[in-house]
Amino acid sequence: QPPSSPPPSLCTDIHYENDLDKVIIPHGLIMDRTERLARDIIQDMGGHHIVALCVLKGGYKFFADLLDYIKALNQNSDKSVPLTVDFIRVKSYCNDKSTNNVKVIGGDELSNLAGKDIVETGRTMQTLLSLLNECNPKMVKVASLLVKRTPRSSGYRPDYIGFEVPDAFLVGYALDYNEYFRDLSHICILNEQAREKYRV
Ligand code: IMP
Ligand code: MG
């Protein structure tokens, strides 16, 4: 059971101290799970050149940590393969609501693996996948750190999932509320006061 409030000894992000309701996934647990996902991915994709595509901005922490683990495993394997990276940016949210409008910017190579922050309805990922598939990649696999259990889900499931999370608005570990909280280490639930404080 993760702690129900940010432990003062862990919460280095003092500027957010009064904004959080609770820690849902502490940073150490994120790292442990990500290491395991890297192992699963290498097992499935080992031997193939991987183009890792990061979905910015919310996916940057997960992407960087996942790739570090993949790199370490890759270096220690007998069928070590090249790993290249690309970045794409998508935006659909304002405050804590989806805007029904998925904007995609950047990305100049195809992906064999997409690194993603969170899948809520699945609409962002489905939009992205249909764009990627137009380029006929050999294989596309999606890794998402979080999948939300929500009745709004389209039914879409990524190939690799870190955690299933409750239907609440989450921040931290690169997930934002109007661009704030990306610099928070743990994945947390905001309190009511913070929703107002950072509303646009
Ligand atoms: P979907 O298109 O409904 O799957 O929403 C996915 C996108 O919405 C993610 O890439 C995030 O940018 C954003 N999002 C959804 N839920 C959350 C959340 O709890 N916290 C922060 N961003 C979220
Ligand atoms: Mg966002």
Side-chain angles (χ1 to χ4, degrees):
Q1 185 79 15
S4 61
S5 61
S9 57
L10 283 183
C11 196
T12 48
D13 318 276
I14 302 162
H15 47 292
Y16 294 137
E17 220 168 28
N18 300 320
D19 299 329
L20 307 175
D21 186 4
K22 59 180 166 188
V23 175
I24 292 250
I25 314 173
H27 186 255
L29 185 55
I30 300 172
M31 298 305 281
D32 287 354
R33 180 66 186 132
T34 302
E35 184 172 11
R36 177 55 201 258
L37 287 178
R39 193 182 295 270
D40 294 346
I41 290 167
I42 278 288
Q43 209 121 67
D44 297 349
M45 311 271 297
H48 289 100
H49 170 186
I50 296 176
V51 181
L53 179 69
C54 175
V55 184
L56 294 170
K57 296 179 187 173
Y60 93 89
K61 285 295 295 169
F62 177 52
F63 182 81
D65 289 332
L66 182 66
L67 250 68
D68 279 348
Y69 285 124
I70 289 179
K71 207 174 73 183
L73 288 168
N74 193 26
Q75 279 164 352
N76 294 327
S77 117
D78 40 319
K79 43 179 184 177
S80 178
V81 287
L83 186 66
T84 55
V85 297
D86 199 3
F87 301 87
I88 204 165
R89 187 165 167 202
V90 297
K91 185 171 170 59
S92 64
Y93 261 62
C94 183
N95 292 319
D96 54 358
K97 294 284 175 301
S98 171
T99 58
N100 278 320
N101 177 9
V102 183
K103 275 191 226 130
V104 181
I105 314 160
D108 46 40
E109 261 194 280
L110 295 187
S111 91
N112 280 5
L113 171 76
K116 178 88 174 74
D117 58 343
I118 185 166
V119 172
E120 186 171 51
T121 62
R123 212 173 43 233
T124 305
M125 207 57 235
Q126 282 172 322
T127 304
L128 198 51
L129 279 173
S130 58
L131 280 173
L132 287 175
N133 281 324
E134 281 173 19
C135 313
N136 296 313
K138 207 185 266 175
M139 169 161 47
V140 180
K141 295 281 185 193
V142 178
S144 181
L145 179 65
L146 308 172
V147 171
K148 229 179 246 188
R149 273 184 240 107
T150 168
R152 296 183 304 286
S153 166
S154 66
Y156 170 74
R157 301 275 297 175
D159 302 283
Y160 303 95
I161 298 173
F163 301 94
E164 294 212 11
V165 289
D167 196 4
F169 193 78
L170 307 177
V171 294
Y173 193 68
L175 290 173
D176 74 306
Y177 178 74
N178 293 332
E179 299 302 325
Y180 289 93
F181 301 100
R182 294 196 199 275
D183 56 333
L184 180 67
S185 312
H186 315 289
I187 294 176
C188 303
I189 297 189
L190 283 186
N191 62 30
E192 269 310 311
Q193 206 182 309
R195 275 181 199 239
E196 283 313 312
K197 183 170 159 192
Y198 299 98
R199 192 175 291 279
V200 293

